[in-house]
Amino acid sequence: MGDQDEELGDLVKGKDRESEKFIWDRLLSKYSKQAIISGIAYCISSCSMILLNKLLLSGYNLNAGISLMFYQNLVSVVIIYGLSSLGVITTEPFTWKLVLTWLPVNLIFVGMLISSMYSLKHMHVAMVTILKNVTNLLIAVGEMYMFKTRHSCKVWGSLLLMVLSATCGGITDLAFHGIGYGWQTINCFLTAAYSLTLRKVMDLAKQASHSGTLNDVSMVLLNNALSLPLGLGLILVFNEAQYIYDAPVVKLPVFWAVMTLSGLLGLAISFTSIWFLHQTSPTTYSLVGSLNKIPLSLAGILLFNVQTSFPHFLSIFIGLLAGILFAVAKMPK
């Protein structure tokens, strides 16, 4: 009788293992290993980049957001050209026609990066993350007028929840900083403008290129390379060169190591997001991006010792939940 029970137990365990293997195989068939790895890589690089920028701007008290953007983009350009010269990646050769076509997008791109830097300097990571959700509302309205896109009630409901969360978050924010909120408001408009303008310019840029196509790497290189002369001009206009020369922090080797790492992470975000999009879909990418904000917000509060209240924390949580609901509502039926 004992032997029969043992055999029966082994049979049940074997079926359980087969069931678990079947479930795992189904998951892997839906989302390949590359999709999982690329998704994790995208999340890590994205979170790390924002936290490192916060460390550089607030932890090291760096008051030179334009210079930080310039250095990060310079690192990206050098690495892309290095990989291109080694034959690892292929890039489209630049022409004046292509540059002039892409220039309007690049101007918005530079403004978007700079405003993001300054808002991050004066605000904590969680609140910046929540306010970025308001960009979705601006994009949704822009899509209605520019592309005649119609949105469902679920999409508008999640967008309304985002706005309410951002409003409540600002009211209950113990570390409220008017300048930071001003920069973040500008960033929301520029980010929406970048997203909407990019859709139209991409097709025009392909027609302006030599081959008639423009791969993702070339677009990353185009954005970063064109931002350098513009960034350098802004550094001179706002006298950041003198500030960088006099700042004691630039004499620290650790500071430059963190700066360079942030540049590498900026490039890593570009490549991992492209990799992840190719392995999954824009919908999955959007949903993972929304879920990614939860650990990022918590890490920002814990690492930078942000003073918060329960109502403020609740508004952040509702904003994160609204971001997830928005991504789910945008999923095709």
Side-chain angles (χ1 to χ4, degrees):
M1 186 72 178
D3 291 340
Q4 287 179 346
D5 289 342
E6 192 173 328
E7 286 176 8
L8 186 60
D10 289 341
L11 183 62
V12 171
K13 288 178 183 176
K15 287 184 176 180
D16 285 344
R17 282 194 294 268
E18 286 179 9
S19 177
E20 288 174 5
K21 186 176 183 298
F22 175 72
I23 293 169
W24 178 246
D25 287 343
R26 285 194 65 184
L27 281 171
L28 286 181
S29 65
K30 189 175 182 181
Y31 298 109
S32 67
K33 288 181 181 179
Q34 280 211 26
I36 296 169
I37 294 169
S38 61
I40 293 171
Y42 166 69
C43 290
I44 292 173
S45 58
S46 178
C47 286
S48 301
M49 175 69 170
I50 293 173
L51 293 173
L52 266 185
N53 278 345
K54 179 64 177 175
L55 174 64
L56 286 164
L57 294 163
S58 298
Y60 284 100
N61 198 27
L62 180 68
N63 193 25
I66 302 171
S67 299
L68 177 57
M69 177 215 69
F70 177 85
Y71 185 77
Q72 288 174 345
N73 290 353
L74 178 63
V75 170
S76 297
V77 169
V78 169
I79 292 174
I80 291 175
Y81 270 123
L83 292 174
S84 179
S85 63
L86 292 172
V88 177
I89 56 176
T90 56
T91 55
E92 185 73 25
F94 290 179
T95 63
W96 279 112
K97 187 179 179 182
L98 178 59
V99 169
L100 292 173
T101 303
W102 197 266
L103 193 57
V105 175
N106 189 253
L107 292 172
I108 301 172
F109 173 73
V110 170
M112 181 181 71
L113 291 183
I114 293 172
S115 58
S116 176
M117 295 287 187
Y118 282 112
S119 64
L120 197 58
K121 177 176 174 59
H122 297 292
M123 297 170 63
H124 60 83
V125 174
M127 202 59 222
V128 168
T129 304
I130 296 307
L131 287 177
K132 279 183 180 293
N133 278 339
V134 179
T135 304
N136 294 324
L137 174 62
L138 300 174
I139 293 173
V141 173
E143 285 176 333
M144 285 179 59
Y145 287 98
M146 293 176 65
F147 304 106
K148 308 301 178 185
T149 304
R150 298 185 67 181
H151 303 291
S152 67
C153 293
K154 290 181 180 179
V155 170
W156 288 117
S158 62
L159 288 171
L160 178 61
L161 196 59
M162 288 178 191
V163 174
L164 287 174
S165 168
T167 304
C168 294
I171 293 170
T172 57
D173 189 1
L174 298 177
F176 182 87
H177 198 293
I179 294 175
Y181 275 76
W183 276 113
Q184 186 53 48
T185 301
I186 293 170
N187 179 257
C188 287
F189 279 97
L190 288 175
T191 303
Y194 177 73
S195 177
L196 294 168
T197 308
L198 186 63
R199 296 188 189 185
K200 287 198 168 184
V201 173
M202 278 174 64
D203 292 333
L204 295 174
K206 288 177 182 178
Q207 296 171 16
S209 64
H210 269 306
S211 62
T213 60
L214 196 66
N215 61 27
D216 297 320
V217 177
S218 296
M219 282 188 273
V220 172
L221 177 61
L222 200 56
N223 254 342
N224 286 283
L226 291 182
S227 72
L228 295 181
L230 181 59
L232 187 60
L234 291 172
I235 288 170
L236 295 174
V237 169
F238 290 97
N239 203 27
E240 278 196 7
Q242 187 63 43
Y243 169 83
I244 291 292
Y245 182 78
D246 295 333
V249 72
V250 299
K251 298 177 177 64
L252 299 174
V254 177
F255 170 76
W256 286 104
V258 177
M259 282 266 286
T260 304
L261 180 58
S262 70
L264 292 172
L265 284 171
L267 185 60
I269 292 171
S270 299
F271 281 117
T272 55
S273 59
I274 291 168
W275 183 23
F276 188 39
L277 269 170
H278 285 169
Q279 296 301 321
T280 54
S281 66
T283 304
T284 306
Y285 175 82
S286 176
L287 182 58
V288 169
S290 298
L291 291 169
N292 195 33
K293 291 176 180 178
I294 297 174
L296 175 62
S297 298
L298 292 174
I301 291 172
L302 294 173
L303 290 175
F304 296 99
N305 196 25
V306 176
Q307 290 186 344
T308 186
S309 62
F310 178 74
H312 183 59
F313 189 79
L314 184 62
S315 67
I316 291 172
F317 176 76
I318 292 171
L320 295 171
L321 179 62
I324 296 169
L325 292 175
F326 175 77
V328 172
K330 291 280 281 183
M331 284 184 176
K333 295 178 181 180

